[in-house]
Every structure is written in structure tokens, then in C-alpha cells.
Amino acid sequence: MKTVLVIGGGITGLSAMYELQKWKKTNETDIRLVLAEASDQLGGKIRTIKKDEFIIESGADSIVARKMENTPLIDELGLGEDVVYNATGRSFIYTDGELKLIPEDAVFGIPASIESLAKSTLVSAEGKVAALKDFYTVNETFTKNDSIGSFLEHFLGTELVEKQISPVLSGVYSGKLSDLTLATTLPYLIDYKEQYGSIIKGLEANKQKFKGGERKFLSFKNGLGSLIDAYEEKLDEAEILKNTRVEKIEKDNSCFQVFLNNQKIIEANYVVLSIPNTAAENLINDSELKKEYSNFKNSSLISVYVGFDVPDSLLPADGTGFIAANNDELSCNACTWTSRKWEHTSKSGNLLVRLFYKSSHPSFESLKEMDQEELLGIALEDIHKSLGINAKPVASEVTNWTDQMPNYLKSHPKSVEALENKMASDYPGIILAGCSYYGVGIPDCIQNGIDSARKILETI
Ligand code: FAD
């Protein structure tokens, strides 16, 4: 009997296993399906924690709705009735000691009309005049492989980019705009410049595409963990081994000897390697393979939730959170007003906020050495400074995601291809999977799990 081993019980591994099991059931095939997960629970970066009256997502908090709504998965998992959507609300940028609204008609902070530029409270009159250059210049030198930062600064001016666009865009794409290319972020901007003569006009003409609408993100009434629980319940023909860390993989003719932390060995014909690159790189003793792995980079993030026994109507403004523009005013990069954005996270409407501390922030060097209590203290200072709220917290959750945020560098597609080729030639039967390579969003991971299972099923 053939054995397929999925290593890692995050969303990618679960999705792969679910697809394998579907095939096993439909074809009534005698195949052994095993999933090994190092932790005592499944889910990886999806982890819902209930504290007091609050639902806290220590990792991912939601799923881009449009990427899930056309798939049958949510209904198949029996979660159709549990879906909840984010409340819509305006976002702010915290700068010069104040919360300032991100102009309404903007795409990632880039004005999508001249009115939007005119009304911005984030940019000075000089900054607005500088941005008008976009209307009367043509692009002669920039290509999609140039940095999006220089492209935007060239046509829209430094001030608009620094004060309004960069805080939003570099948050979304986790990196400095000078390090990110147009190709990996917003490649259509260069087409707009060509077609409409102006980035702003191009965005205005294509406004419909960027309309978020009411239901942009979804979760479940008991948190994203419901997705993980539902997969686990459905996986009734797979052996799910928790607290089981894979420590080593050795090739043995056409199969693999997989060594576990409990001294057991699994003999597998196929392996789905759905663990982060940092965990995978040490499993196979092969210096050439390690070299390929060394091209991948990750950054870190600390998430701090704080719940209070005061209503969230105490927030200073109506909205769903802010991004911090300047590194010298607050230690956090951003703050989500969770109980506002996600009604289901706070039973009685008491205030729950989440602060994000990223390794790109100059304070991170000292923050990463702090214990949870000290980090909570930093978060309370930031909350006091930015929101004027001084109440005593009744719940908190600090999570260090050290080296757990994949950076898709310019070289990423090439690095993935090189690693895939090396695996296929020297270790056929091991399938690379997961957020380190094929997209970080949950829908991408789900699809990648399905694709990984299908690669195996094609050859089995
Ligand atoms: P992981 O979730 O990392 O799962 C890998 C699993 O492998 C883990 O369970 C781990 O314990 C296990 N493992 C590791 N080593 C071994 C070993 N040797 N043996 C056995 N098991 C092992 N995405 C969104 O779509 N929406 C969001 O709102 C969102 N927010 C995020 C917020 C944060 C703070 C983070 C960290 C990520 C966020 N993401 C979000 C990204 C998304 O959560 C991840 O990309 C996705 O969940 C990754 O799934 P995965 O299965 O590929 O990997």
C-alpha cells in the first residue's frame, strides 16, 4: 500500500490532505494518508483564541472574500451559516500626533481623482502642486522592473508618496517601496500612465475595479479557527499525528524514510512538504539543496491584542484603524480597531484593538528582546498616545511571529523555480508547498494544497 505523508498541518497541508482524502474516497483506493504536525494543534498561522468575551486571531484574521465566494469549499465544510463579514469603515494615518483620514477616493493611498488629491489633509499645498506633474509628463524611462517607489515619486512627488502612499502600500506589501518593483505590486500603474497619460486619471477611469464594496473580507462567527476545526473533522480517513515533529528525511530508493521526534519512522512514497522554508531547509542533509533554500527571506512581526472593559464608542473617531506614518512617534506600525471592524470579536461591544510591530520598524531591535509583559506595556503606551485611551486592560494576547512572514523578493520566482527543479531531479516524490513559495493569502494556500495533492495523484 502506498503512503502519502503531509508534513505540516497549516492551511496548506490540511487542504492538500482534504483533496487526497476526497480522491481516496471517490476511487475507493487503498492508500495510507498521514499528516504530521509539530504543534499540539492544527492551523499553523491560523490560531483563534477565546479570552474573556473576546475572539482573538493571533495570526491571520480574515480571508479576501472574493477569492472564496466562488468556491464550494465553505459549504462543503459546513460553514456556510457561520460566515461573517468585516464592517466597512474609513482608515486613518497617524501622523504629527493626530489621526488623519486616508482620502476616500484613493487606491492604496494613491489619489484616484483630482478632488481626492485636493481634499487630502495628509499633504501640504506644495505637495499637492508637486503631484500635478503626473498630468503633464510622460513616462520615458520606467519599466515594470523598476522600483514602485521611484516611479511614484517621479510623477507624484516625494511628499505625497512619503506621507500618504508609502504608509499604506508598504504595509500591504511588507517592504520599502524602493525595494519593491512595479511588477510585483501594482504593474497596471505603468499601463495607466501610458494609456491615460496620468496615474491619477488611469485610476479614476478604472475605479470600478478597485471598489471594495461592503463585503471585502470574511471570517466565521467563532473565528477563523472554525475552518481548521472543520477540516480536522472531515479528515476521517487520514491519520493525524499532532505533537509530531519531522526531524529528518532520507531517500531510500524510490521512497523516503521520515524520522519523527518520537523516534518512530514513517516510510512514505510521497511527501507534501507544507512547512515554512526555515523548517524545511534542515530536514534533508544536502548542501546543494540548502544553498537553494538560502535564497528565501522572512521578516518578523509581533501582534499584540488588548481588550478593555470599556465600550468601543470611546474610540476617538469612526473607523476601523490606523497606520502609523512616522517611525519616531509610535512603536507600532499599525493598529486595527478589531471590535469595530469585526463585530463577532467582542460580545458586548467592548473595545478590542490589535497592534502590529514589524521588523522594518527601527524600535523592533529592542522590542524583539522584550518579554510579553513589557510588550504589553509598549502597546498600552501606543494606545494612550494615539487613541487617548488609558483604561486598564482586561485581556491581552502577545504573539511573536519570528521569521514567519515570507518576503517575496524580486528574485522570488527564480528562487522557487531553482528549488523546485532541484527537488524534482534529486528527490522526486517530495512536493514543495505552502506560504513560503506560492502566495501567502489563505485562498492561495488552499489552492496550493489542492494543486500539490493533484501533482501526486497524477503519478500515483
Ligand atoms: P503555516 O501556517 O506556517 O503551517 C505550517 C505548519 O507546519 C505549522 O502548523 C507548523 O507547526 C508545522 N511544522 C513546522 N515544522 C514542522 C516539522 N518539522 N514537522 C511537522 N510540522 C511542522 N493571510 C490571509 O489570507 N489573511 C490574513 O488576515 C492574514 N494575516 C496574517 C497575520 C499574521 C500575523 C501572519 C503570521 C500571517 C497572516 N496571513 C494572512 C498569512 C497566512 O496566515 C499564511 O500565509 C498561511 O496561514 C500559511 O499557511 P501554511 O499552511 O502554508 O503554513
Side-chain angles (χ1 to χ4, degrees), residues 8 10-12 37-38 44-45 59-62 246 275 279 405 434-435 440-442:
I11 190 73
T12 309
E37 164 54 49
K45 296 183 181 96
D61 74 356
S62 58
V246 170
I275 56 178
M405 313 293 289
C435 62
V440 294
I442 292 167

Side-chain angles (χ1 to χ4, degrees), residues 17-241:
M17 189 48 102
Y18 183 60
E19 186 69 14
L20 289 162
Q21 181 184 280
K22 263 192 195 168
W23 181 84
K24 177 180 160 132
K25 286 190 175 179
T26 320
N27 294 286
E28 293 176 19
T29 313
D30 219 8
I31 179 175
R32 184 179 175 215
L33 300 177
V34 189
L35 184 148
E37 164 54 49
S39 151
D40 61 355
Q41 52 182 306
L42 300 174
K45 296 183 181 96
I46 300 176
R47 202 186 301 162
T48 305
I49 295 166
K50 295 194 175 145
K51 269 197 182 172
D52 256 46
E53 60 165 311
F54 302 113
I55 292 182
I56 290 174
E57 302 287 2
S58 64
D61 74 356
S62 58
I63 302 177
V64 174
R66 80 186 145 75
K67 290 199 174 182
M68 286 293 271
E69 282 170 342
N70 298 327
T71 73
L73 183 71
I74 289 181
D75 286 330
E76 247 176 68
L77 293 177
L79 292 172
E81 302 281 300
D82 290 357
V83 173
V84 292
Y85 291 93
N86 64 297
T88 43
R90 307 282 302 275
S91 298
F92 297 82
I93 289 182
Y94 182 80
T95 181
D96 302 328
E98 268 182 72
L99 290 173
K100 295 185 180 171
L101 265 177
I102 299 175
E104 201 151 21
D105 222 0
V107 176
F108 298 111
I110 310 169
S113 66
I114 186 112
E115 293 77 23
S116 168
L117 175 67
K119 282 192 194 149
S120 173
T121 55
L122 287 154
V123 192
S124 70
E126 291 77 31
K128 291 177 190 177
V129 172
L132 296 177
K133 187 180 168 199
D134 175 46
F135 291 101
Y136 59 81
T137 45
V138 289
N139 174 29
E140 282 168 349
T141 54
F142 289 98
T143 70
K144 288 186 183 169
N145 291 325
D146 284 310
S147 114
I148 185 163
S150 353
F151 173 78
L152 291 172
E153 279 188 16
H154 184 82
F155 295 111
L156 296 169
T158 318
E159 189 185 339
L160 181 67
V161 174
E162 270 177 13
K163 295 197 171 157
Q164 182 169 313
I165 303 172
S166 172
V168 185
L169 203 52
S170 52
V172 173
Y173 288 96
S174 298
K176 284 192 199 145
L177 297 194
S178 52
D179 296 340
L180 298 165
T181 63
L182 279 149
T184 56
T185 51
L186 312 177
Y188 47 81
L189 291 184
I190 206 157
D191 303 331
Y192 290 171
K193 185 72 190 159
E194 173 84 31
Q195 197 180 342
Y196 302 92
S198 142
I199 303 166
I200 297 176
K201 279 191 192 160
L203 289 173
E204 187 166 27
N206 290 278
K207 232 174 237 174
Q208 266 333 93
K209 284 190 202 156
F210 304 104
K211 278 244 153 78
E214 294 286 304
R215 305 173 141 205
K216 217 169 167 188
F217 299 99
L218 64 79
S219 179
F220 304 101
K221 66 178 191 218
N222 287 310
L224 274 190
S226 301
L227 184 62
I228 304 303
D229 297 343
Y231 269 121
E232 186 170 5
E233 208 181 299
K234 292 272 176 191
L235 288 174
D236 52 356
E237 290 198 21
E239 295 165 49
I240 296 190
L241 313 174

